[in-house]
Amino acid sequence: MTISDKLKKARDFEAHYGPFITDKNRPAFHLTPTIGWMNDPNGFSIYKGEYHLFYQYHPYETKWGPMHWGHVKTRDFLHWERLPVALAPDTEYDRNGCFSGSAVELPDGRQLLMYTGVKQVREENGELRDRQTQCVALGDGVNYEKYGKNPVITSSGLPEGGSPFDFRDPKLWREGDTYYAVVGNRPADGSGSVLLYESSDCMRWTYKGVLAACHNQFGRMWECPDFFELDGRYVLLTSPEEMTAIGLEFHAGHGTLCLIGEYDRARCHLDRENVQAIDYGLDFYAPQTLLTSDGRRVMIGWMQNWETVGCQPRNVRCFGQMTLPRELSIRDGRLIQTPVRELEAARSYQILYRNVLLNGMTTLQNVRGRVIDMTVKIRPASQSAVYSWFKINVAGDGEHMTTIRYKPECNTIRIDRTRCGFPHDIVNVRDFVARPRGGEIKLRIVLDKYSMELFVNDGEQAATTVIYTDVSADAISFESLGSVVMDVEKYDLLFD
Ligand code: FRU
């Protein structure tokens, strides 16, 4: 297999400079790029019994640039083995970037990557614009060769009015002998849609129809779609650009959207019954899923917000993290997310408190840490008691902290990193509504140095935020206005 100069240059660069970034500088189990910049997860899939993950990658700087595909694999979603850069923008049709896409294992044992090739062209009016087409590459799990007849889907396969400039992020899957792909597109109304394609070999594709459309209701361009069956329903995940806020369900900017409904195969259409956000925090985008061999639908997302990518800690050599992979299910028509069960194997040093009465602020002996898995259950101190709010402060050191606050009166949860120590004037607070559930609320918090992932009521909601507090700030405190009783179960997470 020949390796282009661009790919070789990127591989040499990461092999040479990657080792300068030691494990000490990285989160314990959240994936970061080998060096440089990372955005969307790509090609999250099983190949020869291992989970492969690729990512949007610009090794040379900690900012977005001509997109390569970085590559890792794992057996447990927690330990990531680094592999050399998989794709570089080294051909005529992808010379400005290998954008997001996905992967499958072919019956002949090869791994197929499908991605968006970006090529800047000068339009008749003199404007430079990105033309986007879908391309494939074939390989052995380390080295990939781009298909000689790329691109495999061009703008000629678009429905009337579909934009050739916003046509990206193919997500592939196989059903029997047939392959399908969903691709994001901007239709004539200027918003977003998800198109469905079909193929028998992943090389020749037929356009089938519009699986779902935005109609300017939920943002505009729909990026990074993923479509799958889950617990007897069908789920479409997508990440809209230019959202405007809708209540406390959707925040403005780059958002995430989960459509749940019935799949009408004859019309190639998802008849949606429920629409919700995927993550209610500050840093979550472009998630992608795979199906494990034991039947779990596992999702991983980019743990970052496009709006704040310019706000980086000083002197970083790598920027961008992936979330902890999460198992998905559906309960009461809604998406449920819980940390992959593999995380439980890393739990050590259990600390348990039951029925702690709280009115004011307290700390609990041995409840601290920045690489932890902690579940807190809170209820009113008695049946007639009411309390105004309850807070958990993490990553604290007297000066810094990040807070989760629950207000029973309006059933809202707030995550607030205003005091995490980050010197940028950015959005630091997010509020969202929890599902009512008797008098008790259950908060599971996973911390891994520079992030906090919150799972409410056994995964009914997830809220993710990056924090930049020095890891020495590891204090945790509990606070309430009014009397509450809480149970706390905390583990350190240990990795070898
Ligand atoms: C989403 C996205 C994708 C695109 C990629 C480029 O974050 O804009 O639509 O393929 O990033 O890096």
Side-chain angles (χ1 to χ4, degrees):
M1 206 174 279
T2 50
I3 290 179
S4 70
D5 290 349
K6 261 198 182 164
L7 184 59
K8 183 169 182 323
K9 184 178 158 212
R11 286 184 169 188
D12 289 349
F13 187 87
E14 62 171 17
H16 187 79
Y17 295 108
F20 284 93
I21 309 168
T22 61
D23 286 348
K24 202 178 140 281
N25 308 119
R26 296 184 188 272
F29 57 101
H30 284 72
L31 180 71
T32 45
T34 303
I35 185 162
W37 161 276
M38 171 171 96
N39 60 288
D40 314 353
N42 295 158
F44 192 37
S45 59
I46 300 184
Y47 180 63
K48 296 200 192 294
E50 294 178 302
Y51 305 119
H52 281 247
L53 177 67
F54 303 80
Y55 52 89
Q56 289 286 280
Y57 188 30
H58 185 225
Y60 306 112
E61 286 176 288
T62 57
K63 60 182 188 198
W64 192 86
M67 280 292 112
H68 296 58
W69 274 35
H71 190 189
V72 290
K73 63 179 182 179
T74 180
R75 287 181 180 276
D76 64 1
F77 300 113
L78 303 168
H79 296 83
W80 304 94
E81 182 185 333
R82 294 189 183 276
L83 295 169
V85 190
L87 298 177
D90 52 12
T91 63
E92 188 266 329
Y93 50 83
D94 64 14
R95 63 184 183 214
N96 296 102
C98 300
F99 275 19
S100 286
S102 51
V104 284
E105 179 167 349
L106 295 178
D108 65 10
R110 289 179 300 169
Q111 190 179 31
L112 179 133
L113 314 181
M114 187 172 190
Y115 67 98
T116 299
V118 179
K119 176 181 172 180
Q120 266 185 2
V121 282
R122 200 166 289 287
E123 298 297 301
E124 268 174 21
N125 64 2
E127 218 182 326
L128 254 191
R129 298 202 68 179
D130 284 353
R131 286 203 162 252
Q132 305 188 331
T133 56
Q134 315 319 318
C135 307
V136 297
L138 293 140
D140 60 3
V142 178
N143 293 302
Y144 300 87
E145 191 146 30
K146 291 178 184 168
Y147 179 50
K149 292 188 185 150
N150 273 340
V152 293
I153 307 179
T154 65
S155 56
S156 64
L158 282 173
E160 175 93 37
S163 166
F165 311 113
D166 283 305
F167 179 35
R168 57 182 176 271
D169 311 335
K171 175 74 200 297
L172 276 170
W173 73 97
R174 183 173 153 187
E175 283 175 32
D177 290 336
T178 309
Y179 296 90
Y180 293 92
V182 279
V183 187
N185 186 226
R186 191 188 294 275
D189 69 6
S191 65
S193 65
V194 173
L195 309 180
L196 182 72
Y197 291 82
E198 186 186 280
S199 173
S200 58
D201 59 4
C202 289
M203 319 282 169
R204 287 160 300 156
W205 289 91
T206 311
Y207 169 66
K208 299 298 284 183
V210 179
L211 184 71
C214 170
H215 302 301
N216 283 301
Q217 209 185 346
F218 299 104
R220 288 168 70 82
M221 172 63 188
W222 280 3
E223 301 189 307
C224 302
D226 193 352
F227 184 57
F228 48 87
E229 190 180 351
L230 186 66
D231 295 336
R233 318 294 298 150
Y234 279 85
V235 176
L236 175 65
L237 306 180
T238 185
S239 297
E241 293 182 312
E242 299 177 69
M243 291 278 276
T244 46
I246 305 178
L248 293 180
E249 185 66 25
F250 297 103
H251 61 80
H254 285 80
T256 55
L257 188 66
C258 170
L259 311 173
I260 301 176
E262 276 299 309
Y263 178 31
D264 182 339
R265 280 179 186 270
R267 286 166 51 237
C268 297
H269 192 263
L270 175 71
D271 298 324
R272 63 193 191 220
E273 288 153 14
N274 186 29
V275 179
Q276 62 169 100
I278 304 173
D279 190 283
Y280 294 84
L282 294 157
D283 295 293
F284 187 88
Y285 198 66
Q288 199 173 78
T289 70
L290 61 67
L291 190 62
T292 62
S293 48
D294 59 0
R296 291 177 289 155
R297 179 61 62 174
V298 173
M299 175 180 78
I300 191 165
W302 181 40
M303 193 157 60
Q304 184 54 50
N305 180 333
W306 272 115
E307 254 78 20
T308 56
V309 293
C311 305
Q312 301 184 2
R314 261 183 226 119
N315 306 323
V316 287
R317 297 294 310 280
C318 70
F319 182 74
Q321 299 180 58
M322 293 300 171
T323 63
L324 172 62
R326 304 167 182 181
E327 293 180 18
L328 301 184
S329 58
I330 292 188
R331 203 190 305 142
D332 302 332
R334 289 184 51 90
L335 188 72
I336 304 295
Q337 302 171 51
T338 51
V340 277
R341 61 194 64 168
E342 284 81 351
L343 189 68
E344 279 151 41
R347 286 172 159 186
S348 344
Y349 306 121
Q350 186 194 53
I351 305 289
L352 213 52
Y353 288 88
R354 293 235 193 273
N355 294 315
V356 179
L357 183 63
L358 178 71
N359 190 355
M361 175 165 341
T362 193
T363 54
L364 298 173
Q365 203 183 0
N366 293 326
V367 176
R368 59 189 318 120
R370 284 290 288 277
V371 185
I372 62 162
D373 183 355
M374 176 171 78
T375 300
V376 182
K377 290 189 218 161
I378 309 107
R379 48 196 174 273
S382 69
Q383 269 197 339
S384 58
V386 280
Y387 64 99
S388 300
W389 49 255
F390 171 84
K391 285 182 188 171
I392 306 174
N393 306 308
V394 301
D397 64 0
E399 194 181 333
H400 302 111
M401 65 181 181
T402 291
T403 298
I404 298 162
R405 185 195 69 186
Y406 174 59
K407 269 190 159 181
E409 191 194 356
C410 44
N411 206 23
T412 51
I413 295 179
R414 163 173 291 188
I415 55 170
D416 183 352
R417 64 172 179 199
T418 308
R419 292 176 60 191
C420 78
F422 203 41
H424 293 279
D425 183 20
I426 58 177
V427 174
N428 286 317
V429 178
R430 197 79 89 204
D431 289 300
F432 58 95
V433 184
R435 309 275 115 198
R437 206 202 213 198
E440 189 176 86
I441 183 118
K442 188 171 171 187
L443 305 173
R444 180 170 175 191
I445 299 160
V446 177
L447 297 183
D448 183 7
K449 296 188 190 173
Y450 306 110
S451 64
M452 175 177 82
E453 289 173 275
L454 168 67
F455 300 89
V456 181
N457 290 341
D458 301 302
E460 280 175 356
Q461 272 146 331
T464 302
T465 181
V466 161
I467 53 174
Y468 298 97
T469 322
D470 190 273
V471 285
S472 61
D474 66 351
I476 296 177
S477 59
F478 304 88
E479 244 183 298
S480 73
L481 185 61
S483 296
V484 299
V485 167
M486 62 176 185
D487 303 330
V488 178
E489 182 179 352
K490 180 239 156 188
Y491 299 88
D492 287 336
L493 294 169
L494 290 191
F495 301 88
D496 34 70

